[in-house]
Amino acid sequence: MAPPPLRQRLREAVAVLGGGGLLCASYLVAAGEERFYAERLMPALQRLLGPETAHMLAIRLLSLGVLPRVAQRDSAMLEVRVLGRRFRNPVGLAAGFDKHGEAVDGLSKLGFGFVEVGSVTPQPQEGNPKPRVFRLPEDQAVINRYGFNSHGHAAVERRLRARQEAQRRLTEAGMPLGINLGKNKGSADAAADYVDGVRTLGPLADYLVVNVSSPNTPGLRELQGKAELHCLLAKVLEERDALRCERKPAVLVKIAPDLTAQDKQDIASVVTEVWMGWSSPTPPPAVPAACGAPCARSPVASAGGPCERSPPRPSARCTPSPKVTRCCLARRSTRPRPGAPSASNAPPCF
């Protein structure tokens, strides 16, 4: 019997070596071998794949459950209780990575204390023209100029509803889900876009983020003005309070990082004015949060049952801190506290 031709033997050798190499690399990645990941795998992938292609591939692999194994368990000291929820640790994944809610279950296995999807716009849109993601190798970073590319409310709602029971278990385990809301680039009514997001996605979220900070959407940052933001938040909160769900999501506002001190003062003033639409012996302050993380540990953000609405009361004012750059509009508990108003004259939820 004649030996196989040289070309066939070469093909077989490449298949064996390539398959073995792939299995070895897969094992090292799954085992969490950091040196291999940092010194071999990532440099090779970065040479082969553009930044946006690499991003899409990572989302796809995570959605299929192909991810490193995380053996460490969080210390109880890292636990944070805020926004009426328990966070197993204060380090979460901010919006911008899983924009369309495709890989929440995979991401929740990587050790994050929470996952925030989005930004999600009412209608699907492509975002900015490509290229729109750029690597900065010397800084080990990227510049993201996607421009609110989104699959739209309907597609994201369908994905998240299909895993609603899984998310309920994750939330109970201290891994809440946030949904970041944006507006369509050509929308004539920005407030209507955010209200639609609250109505469609609010029942699936532990907290919602009203994103008015993206520099890639024309006119979006104009919503950070005092009058515009006041109107927007009032409509968003009205829709949030009207949701028919057992636990209404908290509402946060994401603002730009490069605002002036006066801009921050104005925004903090608007947040407290909207929140303080009633008078109370001990009015709660807005709770600051930074860098996409949940708010710092605070007794203000209390747990409790479903929100109950009460008649509005005359506005009470307080002096906000100019350092507040992102404010949590957390729900108040409906459970009475010593010295608190009775149920008949309790302040409205916010």
Side-chain angles (χ1 to χ4, degrees):
M1 182 176 176
L6 179 60
R7 183 174 298 179
Q8 181 179 343
R9 284 185 289 173
L10 286 174
R11 282 200 302 265
E12 291 173 352
V14 168
V16 170
L17 292 173
L22 181 60
L23 285 174
C24 180
S26 300
Y27 169 77
L28 291 171
V29 171
E33 178 56 52
E34 294 186 7
R35 283 190 60 186
F36 171 76
Y37 180 84
E39 298 177 9
R40 298 287 186 270
L41 181 62
M42 287 309 299
L45 289 178
Q46 288 174 1
R47 285 192 294 269
L48 293 172
L49 303 174
E52 184 165 348
T53 302
H55 181 188
M56 297 302 103
L57 178 61
I59 292 292
R60 182 59 179 162
L61 292 175
L62 286 165
S63 70
L64 295 173
V66 181
L67 65 159
R69 184 181 63 191
V70 178
Q72 296 92 341
R73 289 185 175 274
D74 290 327
S75 166
M77 296 177 62
L78 296 175
E79 186 174 296
V80 178
R81 292 182 180 270
V82 74
L83 302 177
R85 302 292 186 186
R86 178 170 71 90
F87 295 78
R88 69 179 186 180
N89 69 63
V91 180
L93 183 69
F97 185 77
D98 187 5
K99 285 177 165 288
H100 316 303
E102 298 171 285
V104 180
D105 292 314
L107 289 166
S108 67
K109 297 175 183 178
L110 295 180
F112 292 115
F114 64 96
V115 174
E116 185 177 312
V117 303
S119 292
V120 189
T121 58
Q123 301 301 320
Q125 64 178 25
E126 291 295 327
N128 290 330
K130 298 178 182 180
R132 53 193 181 180
V133 186
F134 308 91
R135 288 193 179 109
L136 300 176
E138 64 278 10
D139 298 314
Q140 296 186 335
V142 296
I143 295 176
N144 161 14
R145 293 176 182 159
Y146 276 116
F148 274 9
N149 58 315
S150 175
H151 288 178
H153 287 169
V156 174
E157 189 268 347
R158 188 164 55 251
R159 291 190 190 107
L160 296 181
R161 189 167 297 281
R163 56 170 303 280
Q164 194 169 11
E165 184 60 26
Q167 183 56 50
R168 184 188 66 78
R169 292 192 295 270
L170 287 173
T171 298
E172 291 176 353
M175 289 171 281
L177 174 68
I179 301 179
N180 190 295
L181 303 177
K183 66 178 281 290
N184 280 115
K185 188 172 293 188
S187 175
D189 187 347
D193 282 11
Y194 290 101
V195 167
D196 188 48
V198 175
R199 183 185 308 116
T200 305
L201 300 173
L204 302 169
D206 294 303
Y207 69 88
L208 296 169
V209 178
V210 178
N211 186 350
V212 292
S213 73
S214 172
N216 298 311
T217 301
L220 186 68
R221 289 195 173 191
E222 295 175 5
L223 297 175
Q224 295 175 138
K226 289 187 69 173
E228 294 83 356
L229 187 60
H230 192 289
C231 179
L232 173 62
L233 292 182
K235 292 180 179 179
V236 163
L237 292 168
E238 181 180 6
E239 187 64 35
R240 191 283 307 270
D241 286 346
L243 291 176
R244 295 179 178 272
C245 55
E246 183 181 356
R247 293 183 66 123
K248 293 175 170 57
V251 175
L252 295 84
V253 181
K254 181 175 183 292
I255 59 176
D258 55 355
L259 296 172
T260 66
Q262 185 59 52
D263 290 335
K264 295 175 187 176
Q265 179 83 18
D266 290 344
I267 290 171
S269 176
V270 168
V271 170
T272 51
E273 281 182 23
V274 176
W275 194 348
M276 308 290 289
W278 42 267
S279 60
S280 169
T282 56
V287 186
C291 301
C295 302
R297 195 184 305 268
S298 167
V300 172
S302 54
C307 239
E308 297 177 358
R309 301 185 69 182
S310 302
R313 300 193 167 208
S315 175
R317 305 296 181 94
C318 68
T319 304
S321 167
K323 295 182 179 180
V324 174
T325 60
R326 181 176 179 181
C327 296
C328 299
L329 313 183
R331 293 185 296 107
R332 287 178 56 83
S333 172
T334 55
R335 294 178 295 179
R337 303 191 307 274
S342 65
S344 60
N345 62 351
C349 290
F350 188 86

